[in-house]
Amino acid sequence: MTSAKASRPIERLGRLLPEITTVRAPYQAAVFRIGLSAVVLAFLLREWPHRHVLYGDRSPLSFELAQALVREERTFTVLAWGDGGIWFETVYAVTIAAALAVLLGWRTRGTTVLLMAGVLSIINRNTLVGDGGDNVVRIMVIYLVFTRCAHVWSLDARRARVCRDQPHLDPVGMLVWAAAVAVLVPLSTYPTGGWALVFWTLWAVQGLWYAAGLWFPRHEARAVLDAAASMLHNTAMLVIAAQVCLIYATAGWYKIQGSRWQEGSALYYALHLDYFSPWPALSEYLAGSTITVLVLSYATVMVQVAFPFTLANRKVKNVLLAVMMAEHLGIAVVLGIPFLSLAMVVCDAVFLPTPLLTALGARCGRLVRSRSGGPGAVPQPRTQDRPSSSATESPVADAPATEAV
């Protein structure tokens, strides 16, 4: 009797391990990777003509003041190493290249780290010109490093399918990994508030991954590393979901405390701010309708407060998710803050249902093939290439709130 009771926790653990060591929400992670890198790329290209004034050597925040601000806030930026124009141009160009590489899913284990370092370096150089969108991007690029975001819809996934049956040497990846030492060594000589240890740890883990894939690809130790990476990915996806819920919950409950939001007139005053009126005629039209202002103001608060509680019901969650994405797109157009809105749309995408994402992926594949002159139908993967049901069912997109947050 005692042995039977003792075996029950072991049996439960045996049933739980395959669930937590399988890559969950791979399509949501891919959409998150593509969307976030696209937002960063668009932001950097949009600010290209003004980059020196905002973050470079011609910024009103001088180099000495920027260094003092970095030390006070204990943030990370490699632009604190020097005030030269060449160094700034190098960091800016490398960040753009990293965003493009992550967008395509090329060597994402290394390029996501490079993207994180570049984004943090540029934004933290002058945090006084940032907004809520910058804060969201800074947080999410850190989480992106710990996801297996190139499991599908990436050049990495394509290369993995080609080299599935044999260990292979990745000369390009190993060259980039070895070249990273040239940056990590001087990084260790500057006070970075612990960031040097973070980057050295990521570098060492990447080296271990290369060694495991090359020397013992079918050993149990390799399987343990893969399971640990999957567990880290699942944890990161849940943290992203929790972060999004926290953003909406705090924003909604904070609005409830404001008298303008309580009386439903907050949007009226926002529409009359010159800074948030890229289309004055449209702003005047919306502000001229009392009913429209009242409904939109109350709807904004109710949607933000209610969203974390709707994760327990898939249908309600999906409807509310569509409403929130439409709201962000409307804010981007009406109030002229596109990058904050697009960043939040990307974050909302982690809650999208898997069947919708796979259907969109198949449709895009057929469209690409038809335009390139290839066959219109999308070839079905072999049985061993198809993700299992546990891998495609997203705890972020399709699970109750107790599992998602």
Side-chain angles (χ1 to χ4, degrees):
M1 187 70 175
T2 304
S3 60
K5 290 182 178 180
S7 64
R8 290 177 182 175
I10 299 177
E11 293 176 357
R12 293 175 182 174
L13 180 62
R15 291 193 299 267
L16 180 63
L17 280 177
E19 296 294 327
I20 63 178
T21 58
T22 301
V23 175
R24 312 286 291 185
Y27 296 97
Q28 286 79 7
V31 171
F32 182 71
R33 181 200 86 232
I34 295 170
L36 186 61
S37 58
V39 170
V40 173
L41 184 61
F43 172 78
L44 295 176
L45 294 178
R46 200 279 299 267
E47 302 298 350
W48 178 270
H50 315 288
R51 63 192 185 281
H52 288 282
V53 176
L54 291 174
Y55 306 107
D57 51 348
R58 295 200 299 268
S59 173
L61 187 68
S62 66
F63 180 68
E64 291 74 17
L65 290 177
Q67 285 185 315
L69 187 62
V70 167
R71 288 192 297 268
E72 181 179 352
E73 297 181 349
R74 296 185 178 182
T75 54
F76 168 80
T77 173
V78 297
L79 294 178
W81 297 1
D83 195 27
I86 297 178
W87 175 237
F88 171 77
E89 293 287 2
T90 301
V91 173
Y92 205 93
V94 168
T95 306
I96 291 177
L100 182 59
V102 174
L103 178 66
L104 299 176
W106 183 78
R107 267 74 178 190
T108 50
R109 290 194 185 96
T111 53
T112 51
V113 177
L114 192 60
L115 179 64
M116 176 186 69
V119 169
L120 294 180
S121 297
I122 293 173
I123 295 179
N124 290 338
R125 169 59 175 82
N126 188 4
T127 56
L128 302 180
V129 298
D131 57 15
D134 296 331
N135 293 331
V136 172
V137 170
R138 278 191 297 181
I139 294 172
M140 294 305 171
V141 292
I142 297 175
Y143 296 155
L144 183 66
V145 173
F146 301 100
T147 64
R148 305 188 75 172
C149 54
H151 206 67
V152 296
W153 298 342
S154 67
L155 296 179
D156 287 348
R158 181 180 180 181
R159 186 175 66 255
R161 287 194 299 269
V162 173
C163 306
R164 179 188 299 274
D165 299 328
Q166 56 185 2
H168 66 287
L169 181 65
D170 183 8
V172 177
M174 296 190 68
L175 179 62
V176 175
W177 174 77
V181 178
V183 179
L184 292 176
V185 170
L187 175 64
S188 304
T189 63
Y190 287 86
T192 58
W195 279 98
L197 178 61
V198 172
F199 286 113
W200 274 112
T201 301
L202 294 173
W203 182 84
V205 170
Q206 181 63 26
L208 179 62
W209 192 273
Y210 278 132
L214 181 62
W215 294 335
F216 45 94
R218 295 179 179 85
H219 194 270
E220 291 183 358
R222 176 64 174 79
V224 171
L225 288 176
D226 191 69
S230 299
M231 293 173 62
L232 185 61
H233 160 87
N234 298 336
T235 303
M237 292 299 294
L238 289 178
V239 171
I240 292 171
Q243 183 72 56
V244 175
C245 292
L246 182 62
I247 291 173
Y248 284 129
T250 52
W253 287 105
Y254 183 79
K255 288 182 176 67
I256 289 177
Q257 302 175 36
S259 59
R260 302 300 185 189
W261 289 99
Q262 292 176 6
E263 65 187 22
S265 62
L267 186 59
Y268 174 84
Y269 295 100
L271 292 172
H272 282 83
L273 295 174
D274 294 337
Y275 184 76
F276 295 107
S277 299
W279 314 98
L282 179 59
S283 299
E284 285 291 338
Y285 175 77
L286 293 175
S289 175
T290 305
I291 299 299
T292 301
V293 171
L294 186 66
V295 170
L296 292 178
S297 297
Y298 283 149
T300 299
V301 176
M302 288 188 293
V303 166
Q304 291 181 348
V305 173
F307 178 75
F309 301 100
T310 63
L311 297 179
N313 188 297
R314 295 183 184 181
K315 294 182 179 179
V316 176
K317 181 262 297 181
N318 292 337
V319 172
L320 198 60
L321 193 61
V323 172
M324 295 178 67
M325 288 184 171
E327 177 190 6
H328 287 308
L329 295 177
I331 292 174
V333 174
V334 177
L335 298 182
I337 44 179
F339 294 108
L340 170 60
S341 300
L342 292 177
M344 290 310 303
V345 169
V346 170
C347 294
D348 292 341
V350 301
F351 296 98
L352 289 174
T354 300
L356 173 63
L357 296 178
T358 54
L360 290 176
R363 183 178 294 273
C364 292
R366 288 193 296 267
L367 181 62
V368 170
R369 287 176 174 82
S370 63
R371 291 193 174 184
S372 61
V378 177
Q380 295 295 328
R382 295 173 298 179
T383 303
Q384 60 267 31
D385 291 344
R386 294 181 182 178
S388 63
S389 59
S390 61
T392 56
E393 293 176 357
S394 165
V396 175
D398 298 327
T402 53
E403 298 179 10
V405 181

